[in-house]
């Protein structure tokens, strides 16, 4: 059965901080179907154009070759044997509460961490052990860093855009935001996910929060370019190499940044 979802561009809405430049639809492939075999044909996510080669690339995992009969597991337990046998370049994986997201050179593969899941496609129930989202025409711009939640993945690109890719939905809508800072200069460890919010630490030290399409900004008081976001003792902190940290909190009043409580 061939299932196709076509792109439909529409005008974006202004965000509070970064501007949403466009949103579009794309298809997903349900991999390793257990009840029936299904696949999805893909249209391009964004216009195909030449982009400069990234100055730095995310490192691929180095995996020791093992007998074909032996499974190769991701860090959260996903079975990556088939993906590697197909020649896919595994870049990095992220564990959320219920899923393992695996970024390759062309796709985001998503594995349920507990058991196979089901979804309805044209009123047909399909049970799958993983799904793949085709992002090859997005990642050509070069991935600086990425994050994921149970609901979606976030790709920060060298062309100063943030792409939000939903895990599922009747119409898979990709949101693209134009960032007002130089994303390529940030490197990794400047993105995190906390209690429903994507957290971005900008080069000037401002902390941006994205939740349900809305942006919020808070000053951190830290402008060191080597400062990073890091989780310690269950909390999320932003700090520089000299050890000056601020804590990032999400509560009923929304996001805040403050000196850590003693």
């Amino acid at each position: 059965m061939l299932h196709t979802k076509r792109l439909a561009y529409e005008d974006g809405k202004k965000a509070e901080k970064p501007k949403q430049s466009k949103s579009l639809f794309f298809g997903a492939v349900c991999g390793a179907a257990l009840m029936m075999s299904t696949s999805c044909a893909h249209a391009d996510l964004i216009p195909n154009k030449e982009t400069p080669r990234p100055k730095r690339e995310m490192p691929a995992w180095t995996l020791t070759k093992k007998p074909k009969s032996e499974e190769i597991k991701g860090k959260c337990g996903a079975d990556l044997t088939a993906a590697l046998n197909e020649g896919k370049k595994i870049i990095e994986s992220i564990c959320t509460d219920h899923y393992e997201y695996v970024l390759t050179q062309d796709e985001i593969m998503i594995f349920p961490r507990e058991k196979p899941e089901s979804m309805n496609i044209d009123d047909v129930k399909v049970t799958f052990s993983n799904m793949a989202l085709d992002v090859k025409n997005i990642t050509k711009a070069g991935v600086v860093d990425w994050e994921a939640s149970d609901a979606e993945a976030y790709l920060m690109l060298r062309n100063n855009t943030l792409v939000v890719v939903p895990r599922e939905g009747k119409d898979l809508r990709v949101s693209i935001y134009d960032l007002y800072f130089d994303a390529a200069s940030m490197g990794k460890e400047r993105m995190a996910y906390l209690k429903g919010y994507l957290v971005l630490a900008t080069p000037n030290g401002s902390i941006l929060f994205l939740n349900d399409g809305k942006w919020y900004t808070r000053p951190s008081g830290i402008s060191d370019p080597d400062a990073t976001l890091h989780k310690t003792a269950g909390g999320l902190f932003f700090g520089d190499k000299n050890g000056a940290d601020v804590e990032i909190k999400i509560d009923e009043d929304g996001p805040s940044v403050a000196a850590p409580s003693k």
Side-chain angles (χ1 to χ4, degrees):
M1 180 180 70
L2 182 64
H3 177 72
T4 304
K5 288 183 181 291
R6 298 188 182 277
L7 297 178
Y9 290 86
E10 61 182 37
D11 291 336
K13 297 180 180 179
K14 289 186 177 180
E16 291 187 19
K17 294 302 174 184
K19 293 182 179 180
Q20 184 173 352
S21 57
K22 66 180 68 175
S23 61
L24 45 88
F25 298 108
F26 73 110
V29 173
C30 304
L34 303 182
M35 294 183 65
M36 65 174 60
S37 176
T38 181
S39 64
C40 302
H42 298 287
D44 288 344
L45 291 180
I46 56 176
N48 198 356
K49 61 182 180 180
E50 294 296 325
T51 56
R53 181 177 179 84
K55 295 180 181 179
R56 47 186 281 182
E57 296 181 351
M58 297 173 66
W61 287 352
T62 302
L63 298 175
T64 303
K65 291 185 177 180
K66 299 182 179 181
K68 292 184 178 180
S69 60
E70 188 174 349
E71 293 183 342
I72 300 173
K73 297 290 187 181
K75 67 179 182 181
C76 320
D79 184 359
L80 304 179
T81 309
L84 290 170
N85 287 343
E86 292 171 3
K88 295 181 180 180
K89 178 183 177 182
I90 305 298
I91 297 174
E92 189 178 21
S93 74
I94 291 176
C95 302
T96 67
D97 290 340
H98 298 100
Y99 299 93
E100 177 170 0
Y101 286 70
V102 179
L103 181 64
T104 77
Q105 75 272 33
D106 293 329
E107 300 173 331
I108 297 174
M109 303 177 68
I110 305 173
F111 298 81
R113 295 185 63 184
E114 297 176 359
K115 59 182 179 181
E117 294 194 351
S118 299
M119 68 184 298
N120 292 324
I121 299 179
D122 291 342
D123 298 324
V124 177
K125 185 176 182 179
V126 179
T127 302
F128 62 94
S129 59
N130 69 79
M131 67 165 27
L133 306 177
D134 187 348
V135 294
K136 61 178 174 292
N137 284 321
I138 282 180
T139 55
K140 281 182 178 179
V143 178
V144 177
D145 202 358
W146 73 300
E147 263 296 341
S149 69
D150 276 351
E152 52 202 5
Y154 310 88
L155 301 170
M156 183 169 62
L157 307 179
R158 294 185 63 86
N159 62 0
N160 299 334
T161 59
L162 177 76
V163 182
V164 182
V165 182
R167 179 179 58 81
E168 65 176 6
K170 183 177 180 180
D171 294 309
L172 293 177
R173 182 192 301 271
V174 174
S175 298
I176 303 176
Y177 296 93
D178 292 323
L179 302 174
Y180 59 83
F181 51 84
D182 181 11
S185 69
M186 291 173 61
K188 291 179 65 63
E189 309 305 331
R190 287 269 182 153
M191 290 181 69
Y193 185 81
L194 180 67
K195 296 181 179 180
Y197 287 76
L198 176 71
V199 182
L200 278 173
T202 70
N204 69 1
S206 295
I207 308 297
L208 296 179
F209 301 85
L210 174 63
N211 173 260
D212 195 24
K214 295 182 179 179
W215 288 90
Y216 307 84
T217 182
R218 303 287 185 270
S220 72
I222 297 175
S223 58
D224 191 316
D226 295 327
T228 62
L229 291 168
H230 50 274
K231 292 184 178 180
T232 305
L236 178 63
F237 298 85
F238 180 61
D240 58 29
K241 60 186 178 181
N242 297 320
D245 276 343
V246 292
E247 185 172 7
I248 296 168
K249 295 183 177 181
I250 308 292
D251 56 28
E252 61 273 11
D253 295 323
S256 62
V257 179
S261 56
K262 300 295 184 179

